[in-house]
Amino acid sequence: MINLRIESIDKFGEKTIEEVKALKIEENNSIIYRYSNDLGKCMIRISDKMIDIVRTGQIESSQVLIEGETTDFIYKTPYFNNVFQIKTKKLEYKEKELTIYYSIYDNNIEVNKLKVRVRELSNVIIN
């Protein structure tokens, strides 16, 4: 297990910081982080030019982020279910740190813009 620090800030200035224990798996030129929090389970897969983020639990979502591309994004809660679009501006992974800049659109209207950083705080790897 490793420790991950997940930080985000949106266009409204709302910041979140979360530290979680995660399983890190390296396979097929990908890095996978699996962890749980109060909202459920999360998986982040970092591939060469793509990031997959899947959440299950109270909030369910599935995001595919590709730099310079727009992709559909499903977001489901007990009270809400919608498909949004994500325009990924920048993906960067180096030295055990992932940074993502993207905007979320609903029917071509930007509803939010985020910067997310995922950083390893420890480096024990389970293969």
Side-chain angles (χ1 to χ4, degrees):
M1 298 295 277
I2 62 165
N3 293 317
L4 285 181
R5 182 176 176 100
I6 303 163
E7 303 172 33
S8 69
I9 186 165
D10 68 13
K11 78 176 190 177
F12 305 105
E14 186 171 325
K15 296 178 185 178
T16 62
I17 299 173
E18 179 179 34
E19 289 189 11
V20 295
K21 291 204 176 299
L23 178 64
K24 179 180 180 181
I25 303 164
E26 295 183 20
E27 66 180 24
N28 301 327
N29 297 321
S30 295
I31 295 170
I32 301 166
Y33 297 112
R34 292 184 184 276
Y35 64 91
S36 295
N37 62 18
D38 294 341
L39 300 175
K41 295 180 181 180
C42 188
M43 186 274 303
I44 302 171
R45 179 189 310 270
I46 304 166
S47 302
D48 186 28
K49 297 190 187 251
M50 182 173 74
I51 308 294
D52 293 305
I53 303 173
V54 178
R55 293 182 186 276
T56 58
Q58 289 181 27
I59 295 176
E60 294 189 11
S61 66
S62 179
Q63 300 172 304
V64 176
L65 301 123
I66 303 169
E67 189 169 318
E69 304 257 337
T70 301
T71 55
D72 286 343
F73 149 51
I74 299 165
Y75 189 80
K76 212 191 250 189
T77 74
Y79 314 102
F80 185 79
N81 184 2
N82 202 8
V83 176
F84 296 98
Q85 294 72 46
I86 295 179
K87 183 173 184 177
T88 306
K89 299 193 178 12
K90 185 175 182 179
L91 298 175
E92 183 176 59
Y93 181 76
K94 62 180 182 181
E95 300 298 319
K96 300 179 183 177
E97 184 174 304
L98 170 66
T99 306
I100 307 167
Y101 296 89
Y102 64 95
S103 296
I104 299 174
Y105 291 84
D106 186 11
N107 294 318
N108 295 319
I109 297 169
E110 183 182 81
V111 294
N112 209 344
K113 187 183 301 188
L114 292 108
K115 175 186 177 186
V116 178
R117 186 171 82 161
V118 180
R119 183 168 45 106
E120 288 186 34
L121 300 178
S122 62
N123 58 6
V124 176
I125 300 171
I126 300 171
N127 287 318

